[in-house]
Amino acid sequence: MKRAVLTDFDGTVTRTDVAEDILREFAPSGWWDIEEEHRTRKIGTREAMVRQFELVRATQEEMIRFVDAHVQLDETFPPFVASCRRRGIPVEIVSEGLDFYLAHLLDKWGIELPVRTNHATVEEGRVRITYPYADPTCDLCGTCKLRRLFDLRVAGYRVAYVGDGHSDLCPAVEADVLFAKKELADLCREEAIEFIPFDTFADVQREMERWP
């Protein structure tokens, strides 16, 4: 049986949500009001991110220096990826974050994986976001995580999804196996979606190593 893993990045591969860390540092407090609209499902992820990052006033270099100093990796993620590679299980990152910090951090940590995420252009301290992996039939999400899950399923894979937040709910509903924590775990309880709780990727690895 072919298996594959899709994982969120912010707050899942990293210990904190990198986009939110940047907003706390470089945007006025009104970004949180927009986040509340998103968490109560009044607006989609795409609208939330555009409105939030319009508030940011920083250069890309300033934001990179900030994430370098503050963002931490789940140190059990690289061993998890190595374990999957030994077993021939592809791992991909699907993220509603921004490519400039995600690419920088993965390179810094020596992690090479396929990535689907949103594109940011930073000019004169302003952030403009575009969506190379959006679903043209839906304007809620920037990166359509569900579409990638379906692509893998059509290719014959059973897909495990790993996530922690509101933007992970769509793939959570359809995943063959779901690992969830934090806000995603709460949403799954509310929606009666079956999931395996986890704290770090060591937990995910232990569970997956039991599989045939």
Side-chain angles (χ1 to χ4, degrees), residues 44 46 131 133-144 146-147 170:
R46 193 186 309 183
Y131 305 98
Y133 299 104
D135 181 343
T137 68
C138 174
D139 62 3
L140 293 178
C141 295
T143 296
C144 184
L146 184 59
R147 188 175 187 178
C170 286

Side-chain angles (χ1 to χ4, degrees), residues 46-64:
R46 193 186 309 183
E47 179 181 345
M49 287 199 68
V50 166
R51 288 170 55 191
Q52 288 172 323
F53 275 87
E54 282 177 346
L55 302 173
V56 168
R57 296 294 179 268
T59 66
Q60 183 166 311
E61 292 73 20
E62 287 171 332
M63 289 185 277
I64 288 295

Side-chain angles (χ1 to χ4, degrees), residues 162-191:
V162 189
D164 79 306
H166 286 67
S167 68
D168 299 308
L169 186 58
C170 286
V173 172
E174 293 291 341
D176 296 293
V177 180
L178 173 64
F179 295 90
K181 64 179 178 178
K182 301 177 185 174
E183 289 89 353
L184 180 59
D186 293 338
L187 287 170
C188 289
R189 293 183 187 101
E190 291 173 12
E191 303 291 340

Side-chain angles (χ1 to χ4, degrees), residues 3-7 80 84 89-92 152 159-162 208:
R3 300 183 184 273
V5 177
L6 290 179
T7 178
F80 167 77
C84 287
I89 300 172
V91 179
E92 298 183 16
L152 288 167
V159 183
Y161 189 84
V162 189
M208 288 184 60

